[in-house]
Amino acid sequence: MELSVDTLAMLWSQLVWPLIRLLFFISVGLLVANVLESLNWTAKVARIARPLIVWGRFSERVGAAFVMALISGVAANTMLAEAYDRGEIDRKELILANLFNSLPTYFLHLPTMIFITLPLIKGAAFIYVGITFVAALLRTLTIVAVGRWLLNPTHASTALTPPAAKPTNWQDVGRKAWRRFKKRIRKITLFTVPIYIVIFIMNRMAFFAWLEEQVAGYLSFLPWLSPQAIGIIVLQMAAELTAGLAAAGALLQDNVLSHREIIIALLIGNILSSPLRAVRHQLPYYAGIFKPKLAVALIVYNQLFRVVSLALAAAIYIVVTAA
C-alpha cells in the first residue's frame, strides 16, 4: 500500500517532527543535568531554594532539581531520575520532589499563560491566573510540610553539603557527561518513541475526543452553570485552553457572562481537561525518563494533587464572591 503525499506530510508534521523535537528537548535537558552532575554544582544550585529544602528535609539533589525546573521541566525530572537510579534519593522522596516542582514549573509557563489570557478575557485574566498561582503555591507548601513529616531529618543537615572535588578540566567533564548521556538516552528513546506513537494513533482514532465528550456530557451535575459557561468548558476540554478562552472572551465582550462566571467556567474546564492532557503530553517523555510503572504513578499523583488544589482554590473563590 502506497502512502500519498498528503499522508506523508501529515505524518511528518503531526508525528515525526513533534517526536524529533521532543527527543531534542529531552536530550538537552539530559545533557544539562549530566554536566551539572559532572561539575558537582548541584549543591551550589540547591542553595537558591535553601529555606524550602532545609525545612522540608529534602536532599541537595531535590533542591537542584527544584531550581532547574525554572528553566526546564525535562532537565529537572532527569536530575531526579538520575539521583533515584543511583540510590541518592528513595521512591518516597522522588515522588515528593516531583510534586514539589509544581511551583517552578508553573512559573516556567506563566508568561505564556499571561500573554494568552490577557488579550482574550482582559481584567478577568488577573483573577484567573492569580487563582492558579495560589493553587500552585499551595501544592508546594503542602509538599514541604509533608516532606518535613515523612522524610529523614538527616536530609536537612546534608542538603547543602560542600561539593566534592571538581573534575580536573572540561575534557573530563565532557567525557563523564557524554558517557552518562549515551547510557540514558538509549533507554529514554526505547520507551518514548513507541508510547508517543501509540498516543498519536489514539488521537487519530479520536479516542481522547470521544472520552472528553463523554465527560462533558455529565456536566449536568453542575446545574448552576449556564449553557454558555458549559460551552466554554466543553471547548476547553475538546480542544485547548485557547479555544475556551476565545469563547469566554466573546461572551465577556457581549456581556453574556460576568467576570465571575467566566473565571469559574475556565477553572472547571482546567480541572476536567488537565488529566487527559497530561496523558497525551506527559506520558511519552515521563515513561522515557522514569520506569513506565513509576512514570504512570507520578502522573497520577501529580494530576490528583493538581485537581484537588485547583478545586480548593476555585471553591474558595466561589464562596468569597457568592455574596
Side-chain angles (χ1 to χ4, degrees):
M1 178 177 141
E2 294 184 2
L3 295 176
S4 67
V5 175
D6 290 341
T7 301
L8 290 173
M10 181 275 295
L11 288 174
W12 169 258
S13 63
Q14 297 183 25
L15 175 62
V16 179
W17 175 242
L19 184 54
I20 291 173
R21 188 171 56 184
L22 175 63
L23 290 173
F24 170 77
F25 284 114
I26 290 176
S27 298
V28 170
L30 183 58
L31 276 172
V32 169
N34 285 334
V35 168
L36 285 175
E37 293 287 344
S38 299
L39 288 169
N40 298 305
W41 280 1
T42 51
K44 290 184 177 181
V45 174
R47 287 192 179 97
I48 299 175
R50 176 170 184 165
L52 292 174
I53 299 304
V54 172
W55 204 85
R57 294 176 175 170
F58 291 108
S59 65
E60 70 174 34
R61 305 300 180 188
V62 175
F66 181 84
V67 178
M68 184 56 62
L70 289 166
I71 303 170
S72 168
V74 173
N77 281 322
T78 300
M79 293 179 75
L80 292 176
E82 290 280 337
Y84 177 67
D85 288 345
R86 291 197 297 267
E88 295 171 347
I89 60 175
D90 58 19
R91 180 185 174 90
K92 181 167 57 179
E93 187 172 9
L94 171 66
I95 293 172
L96 290 176
N98 184 258
L99 297 172
F100 181 54
N101 287 343
S102 62
L103 186 60
T105 302
Y106 176 87
F107 279 121
L108 183 63
H109 298 102
L110 182 59
T112 302
M113 187 187 300
I114 291 175
F115 286 124
I116 291 175
T117 57
L118 191 57
L120 291 172
I121 58 174
K122 300 178 173 59
F126 295 105
I127 302 174
Y128 174 73
V129 173
I131 293 172
T132 59
F133 168 74
V134 169
L137 182 61
L138 178 64
R139 290 195 295 273
T140 295
L141 294 178
T142 301
I143 289 302
V144 169
V146 172
R148 187 169 183 83
W149 176 46
L150 290 180
L151 297 180
N152 193 323
T154 58
H155 274 136
S157 61
T158 60
L160 299 169
T161 53
K166 294 181 181 179
T168 53
N169 54 52
W170 282 99
Q171 191 174 8
D172 291 339
V173 170
R175 276 199 299 265
K176 189 175 180 181
W178 182 249
R179 185 169 62 250
R180 290 178 175 177
F181 172 79
K182 288 192 297 182
K183 180 180 178 182
R184 192 76 184 180
I185 197 64
R186 291 192 191 101
K187 179 184 175 184
I188 289 175
T189 304
L190 179 65
F191 285 102
T192 299
V193 172
I195 291 175
Y196 194 95
I197 292 173
V198 169
I199 297 294
F200 170 78
I201 293 172
M202 292 172 72
N203 266 324
R204 293 294 299 174
M205 294 174 65
F207 171 77
F208 291 109
W210 171 82
L211 192 57
E212 286 164 343
E213 286 178 6
Q214 298 305 307
V215 175
Y218 289 96
L219 290 178
S220 57
F221 77 95
L222 300 172
W224 43 271
L225 284 176
S226 67
Q228 294 86 352
I230 291 177
I232 293 173
I233 298 171
V234 171
L235 280 172
Q236 198 170 342
M237 293 176 63
E240 293 287 341
L241 173 63
T242 308
L245 285 169
L251 293 170
L252 191 63
Q253 181 70 29
D254 293 339
N255 294 317
V256 176
L257 294 178
S258 66
H259 278 66
R260 181 178 183 272
E261 291 172 308
I262 291 290
I263 292 165
I264 292 173
L266 289 173
L267 287 170
I268 294 174
N270 192 336
I271 291 169
L272 295 178
S273 64
S274 61
L276 287 176
R277 197 162 293 140
V279 172
R280 283 184 291 185
H281 299 306
Q282 287 185 319
L283 182 58
Y285 91 83
Y286 258 63
I289 295 174
F290 304 100
K291 294 178 181 179
K293 185 177 180 181
L294 178 59
V296 172
L298 289 174
I299 290 175
V300 170
Y301 291 140
N302 259 295
Q303 290 307 309
L304 283 175
F305 200 32
R306 186 176 187 276
V307 165
V308 170
S309 65
L310 270 175
L312 180 60
I316 292 172
Y317 173 75
I318 292 171
V319 171
V320 170
T321 59

